[in-house]
Amino acid sequence: MIREAFRLYRGKARLLRSAAAGDPVSRVLSMPRGVAGYDRYERVRERGELVRGRSGLYMTASHAVCGKLLRSPDFGAVPTTVSKRALRPTDGSAQRLVHPLDDSFASIDPPEHTRLRKIVAPAFTPQAMRAQEEFVTDVVEQELDRVDRQSTVDLIDEFAVRVPSRVICEMLGMPTSDHELFVRWGIEFGAIVDGARTPGEVRRTRQLLTEMAAYFTELCARRSREPGEDLVSRMVRATEAGEMTQPGLVATCEALLIGGFVTTANIIGNGVVGLLAEPEQHARFLADPEGLAATLVEETLRLDAPAQYSVRITRTPTTLAGKDLAAGSPVVALLAAANRDPEVFTDPHRLDLTRPNPHDHLAFAAGIHYCIGASLARLEGRIALRALFTRYPDLRITGRPRYCPSRVIRGPQHLPVSVR
């Protein structure tokens, strides 16, 4: 454990020294968790389309370069920086713990990625989303009825996480009674998704992965004995048919649960913060919430991407933005910066419901790893924000938002509001 601690602290110290020396790449990677990184992203943009940091890591804030990087077959997915120690089970067994991203199709390249994604994809087709619309609307209204009993609430705890949590639990066939547990997992995973950098974070990561693995292993075993028509049952059948591995099954369940409510919760929270910061746009939205709800979702995704960056690695020697990259070169695509690229978006740092191209954002990535749940998040965000401001046109923020303690995930973890 002493050796692991030394390695973690040594890596952090190198990063901080490079940042202090003016390296814009290191400044992004070493920024405090939970703070907005947009000023730091702009320093990367100022250095060019593709910037090489002191460590050799490449980073881009360019919309064009990010789009090419995400869509190019010359680049592959990269596992997270989770410590190997964090994947050792707490019971001392030889079988390592699974990771929601590293061990699901989220971090796997074709052809295996294509095969695994096809198992899950039918649950997120346009037809499937149309079938979900009435249910999502009912859930939103029921949760607003709960909020209606109070004058001041934490919008995230009392609404933004509850809506998508109930929806994804229904799709997966999971009990909503475990809502509080799922929310804690989502918050904890968001805090360590960009890597554990202290021994304490390694311990918390191990505990989190242990809890999730035990829960979903038991759930999948139950679905094997008592199958249904839910998404977990579908994946269990695919596993029994040899189309998925058992670790892949558990990891995919974890990824769908966490991704299924964290992204939408951030859309709702970021949408409220962004809209209320622009009185003119707020008034415009209140005049036509039905017609502008979808635009508000897209503009929120553009302005505050729920996932701030993504990483890809070169499969073979290739050229990107005029620079020759060796095989195995990692490149950080700053999605949040690409979404504020002045070459693509006019006045990019403010929310504008009249923007002609808000849908050109890269908040859900692009290419084969485009977010599989994007259509569900859009549906939930549109219905929730429309209903929220329709019922509470005088909604206002009453305290300082507290953001998720993460460099990757961007969204309020707590947002006190008045609904009277």
Side-chain angles (χ1 to χ4, degrees):
M1 189 62 183
I2 294 176
R3 183 184 302 172
E4 177 77 0
F6 179 71
R7 184 188 68 79
L8 290 167
Y9 284 128
R10 185 176 57 185
K12 182 178 180 180
R14 282 199 301 264
L15 195 62
L16 291 173
R17 284 197 300 270
S18 295
D23 176 25
V25 172
S26 297
R27 290 195 72 230
V28 169
L29 298 179
S30 64
M31 66 184 182
R33 286 174 168 154
V35 305
Y38 298 108
D39 289 344
R40 299 183 186 223
Y41 303 158
E42 291 306 311
R43 302 293 83 78
V44 175
R45 193 190 314 281
E46 291 170 359
R47 297 290 186 93
E49 287 190 320
L50 184 63
V51 181
R52 188 175 187 270
R54 289 164 65 98
S55 66
L57 181 69
Y58 288 90
M59 185 174 285
T60 178
S62 162
H63 186 282
V65 177
C66 282
K68 181 177 180 180
L69 171 69
L70 295 170
R71 294 182 176 94
S72 173
D74 295 334
F75 293 86
V78 180
T80 65
T81 55
V82 63
S83 166
K84 291 182 180 179
R85 181 178 290 274
L87 295 176
R88 297 178 186 173
T90 56
D91 61 5
S93 62
Q95 182 69 43
R96 75 173 182 84
L97 297 167
V98 298
H99 190 278
L101 298 182
D102 295 353
D103 295 300
S104 69
F105 59 81
S107 295
I108 298 175
D109 291 323
E112 189 176 5
H113 170 272
T114 307
R115 178 175 57 80
L116 294 176
R117 188 174 173 116
K118 283 183 178 179
I119 297 171
V120 177
F124 299 96
T125 62
Q127 181 179 1
M129 291 303 97
R130 286 193 292 272
Q132 289 284 350
E133 184 153 0
E134 183 177 354
F135 174 66
V136 173
T137 300
D138 288 343
V139 169
V140 166
E141 293 299 329
Q142 290 166 16
E143 293 303 326
L144 286 177
D145 288 342
R146 291 180 67 257
V147 170
D148 213 16
R149 301 169 191 165
Q150 308 169 61
S151 59
T152 302
V153 299
D154 185 326
L155 188 67
I156 307 304
D157 283 347
E158 299 297 329
F159 181 68
V161 295
R162 294 188 63 87
V163 168
S165 175
R166 285 184 57 184
V167 173
I168 196 63
C169 283
E170 175 72 16
M171 293 178 66
L172 293 171
M174 297 170 59
T176 56
S177 57
D178 290 334
H179 164 80
E180 298 297 335
L181 177 64
F182 304 150
V183 170
R184 178 171 64 80
W185 286 350
I187 292 171
E188 292 181 359
F189 186 74
I192 53 87
V193 68
D194 58 340
R197 295 188 181 176
T198 68
E201 290 176 359
V202 171
R203 288 193 296 273
R204 288 194 293 275
T205 301
R206 289 178 67 190
Q207 183 60 39
L208 170 64
L209 297 182
T210 298
E211 286 184 20
M212 290 196 296
Y215 185 98
F216 281 105
T217 297
E218 195 281 328
L219 176 65
C220 291
R222 191 161 67 246
R223 286 292 174 273
S224 180
R225 298 189 302 269
E226 304 168 3
E229 296 305 314
D230 54 83
L231 188 48
V232 170
S233 294
R234 182 184 303 168
M235 290 189 290
V236 167
R237 288 193 290 269
T239 302
E240 292 172 343
E243 299 172 8
M244 296 181 75
T245 65
Q246 184 66 27
L249 167 64
V250 172
T252 302
C253 287
E254 295 172 353
L256 290 172
L257 172 68
I258 294 174
F261 75 86
V262 170
T263 299
T264 299
N266 288 340
I267 290 174
I268 297 170
N270 289 335
V272 169
V273 172
L275 190 63
L276 294 183
E278 300 285 347
E280 181 182 337
Q281 301 303 316
H282 182 208
R284 188 186 299 274
F285 184 75
L286 293 182
D288 185 17
E290 178 70 33
L292 291 175
T295 301
L296 176 57
V297 169
E298 298 305 319
E299 186 64 345
T300 297
L301 287 163
R302 184 201 65 79
L303 188 68
D304 275 311
Q308 296 274 286
Y309 61 80
S310 186
V311 186
R312 296 291 185 270
I313 193 167
T314 52
R315 298 170 182 266
T316 58
T318 189
T319 300
L320 182 67
K323 295 186 178 182
D324 295 330
L325 276 61
S329 298
V331 183
V332 179
L334 292 173
L335 307 179
N339 292 347
R340 295 186 178 204
D341 191 334
E343 295 293 322
V344 180
F345 304 102
T346 303
D347 198 6
H349 299 293
R350 62 180 295 267
L351 185 145
D352 183 1
L353 296 177
T354 67
R355 190 179 301 281
N357 63 334
H359 54 280
D360 288 343
H361 65 78
L362 298 172
F364 288 127
I368 62 169
H369 286 287
Y370 183 80
C371 176
I372 197 168
S375 56
L376 176 61
R378 283 185 164 110
L379 174 69
E380 293 171 329
R382 171 173 59 83
I383 294 173
L385 287 168
R386 180 189 65 201
L388 178 65
F389 281 101
T390 297
R391 188 177 296 202
Y392 307 119
D394 296 324
L395 178 78
R396 60 186 177 87
I397 298 172
T398 58
R400 187 173 182 175
R402 194 168 83 216
Y403 281 79
C404 177
S406 174
R407 298 178 188 89
V408 178
I409 307 302
R410 179 67 181 168
Q413 186 175 320
H414 295 288
L415 182 60
V417 301
S418 171
V419 297
R420 297 299 186 200

